Amino acid sequence: MDHPLHRPPVVRRVSELIGATPLFELCRTESESRLLLKLEQFNPTGTAKIRMARQMILDAEERGLLRPGGRIIESTSGNTGLGLAVVAAECGYTFTAVVDHHAAADKLRAMKALGAELVYVAEDGDEELATAAREELAERMAAEADNAYFTEQHNNLANGVGYHPVARELDAALGGRVDVLIGAVGTGGGLFGTGGALRRTLPGVRIVGVEPKGSIAFGGPAHDYYQSGTGTPEGATIGAMVDYDLLDEGVKVGDIEAFATARAVARRTGLLIGGSAGGVVYEALTRLPTLPPGTTMVALINDGGEKYMDTVFDDAWMSARDLLSPTAEREIEEMLVKLRRLPAESAPNGPASPQEQH
């Protein structure tokens, strides 16, 4: 088995490039507590979810549920679909993605470029998240076709298994020193697949889940939200991988704070992270100063910000949905300046504001 921190020098399949993603130290406090970002956008397709996409197909093949020349069907907001499209192309399957217009347009375009067939459950212009409708259609399509397999990511235990290598990578990179693991909760596979495997070697690790305000995995009230690829909207079933016994704390972050964080991190560090990753980083930043000295907190960053140029990083799109908040962005930039211990004048946007000069 290859060392978890290294890839082979030459590969013949895109899926062989999965894993060995870097850790980026975003902040270190005066008490030597630090926030490390596990940058999963360095996987092929720019997301963590290709890890579990590959594992779900391997599992289906081993169980005889998918035969050569078969069709993979999944309900997806984009990132899982991108991973499945790659695996389908490598293995000679066809792939049908059941989608809605809540997904980032770049994800939908990329799936199509990779050969996926897109089937919409909503009319053009309808931006509502339609998770339940997508899953119902995907299940029906698979049942009605020969040699078709609905991967059903929300209830497929192979989803969580696909993230076990993340735990091994963290353990190897940090010498067994991970005190807090924080990540977004959608299907639950990423955080709990990683956290469960990590806790077997590091029983004291604290696991913190983050979902959007409006999501229901950690309770109500339910309402619409714009963070893509995360959370559980009203009417959808909470994923089988959401392991409340593993969870130490479940928290909610609003769209405004999540997106403001992604935008502020981009300006202050040059690192593009996705919208739901912004929610994870926001929660991590707010709690970092309160942690015991010397704490190592790792945030799982599901994807990069390149897929959100038409949404999170577009002022017009943000303003039209009342999500643009210069005040929130400024407050987060000030946190970054303080916690990164960088001079405020290092900002690439010109002279520091009076608030930042302290």
Side-chain angles (χ1 to χ4, degrees), residues 7-233:
R7 296 187 179 120
V10 177
V11 301
R12 298 187 65 188
R13 288 185 167 212
V14 170
S15 60
E16 293 178 66
L17 296 170
I18 296 171
T21 55
L23 284 162
F24 177 79
E25 184 178 291
L26 182 64
C27 297
R28 184 185 289 260
T29 68
E30 292 181 358
S31 65
E32 293 303 312
S33 290
R34 56 182 180 163
L35 171 58
L36 306 179
L37 309 185
K38 181 64 166 163
L39 298 182
E40 288 290 281
Q41 67 257 51
F42 284 88
N43 284 303
T45 71
T47 171
K49 291 196 172 184
I50 194 170
R51 292 183 186 260
M52 63 90 147
R54 176 177 61 175
Q55 188 61 42
M56 289 192 300
I57 299 309
L58 289 173
D59 178 73
E61 290 173 339
E62 290 170 3
R63 294 164 60 198
L65 300 174
L66 188 60
R67 303 187 304 277
R71 178 176 294 275
I72 301 164
I73 301 175
E74 180 56 277
S75 158
T76 176
S77 59
N79 280 335
T80 300
L82 288 169
L84 288 171
V86 169
V87 177
E90 288 185 342
C91 299
Y93 301 120
T94 55
F95 171 52
T96 298
V98 182
V99 300
D100 55 37
H101 294 284
H102 185 271
D106 277 353
K107 294 180 186 178
L108 300 174
R109 288 192 287 261
M111 278 192 285
K112 194 170 181 180
L114 290 167
E117 173 196 23
L118 303 187
V119 176
Y120 288 86
V121 296
E123 297 296 325
D124 196 14
D126 181 355
E127 293 186 348
E128 284 194 22
L129 181 57
T131 303
R134 290 196 327 244
E135 291 179 355
E136 288 172 11
L137 179 57
E139 183 177 17
R140 186 167 69 250
M141 290 176 66
E144 294 173 352
D146 179 54
N147 194 15
Y149 177 61
F150 174 28
T151 43
E152 199 179 0
Q153 59 175 314
H154 282 83
N155 294 301
N156 190 328
L157 297 182
N159 175 344
V161 174
Y163 293 104
H164 289 179
V166 181
R168 294 194 291 270
E169 291 172 26
L170 292 175
D171 203 4
L174 298 173
R177 183 60 192 272
V178 182
D179 301 298
V180 181
L181 181 71
I182 184 169
V185 176
T187 68
L191 180 63
F192 297 106
T194 303
L198 195 60
R199 193 165 274 177
R200 286 193 281 274
T201 56
L202 301 173
V205 65
R206 183 171 179 81
I207 298 174
V208 180
V210 180
E211 70 173 351
K213 289 182 178 178
S215 175
I216 62 169
F218 304 146
H223 57 75
D224 292 343
Y225 55 87
Y226 286 99
Q227 292 173 64
S228 175
T230 188
T232 306

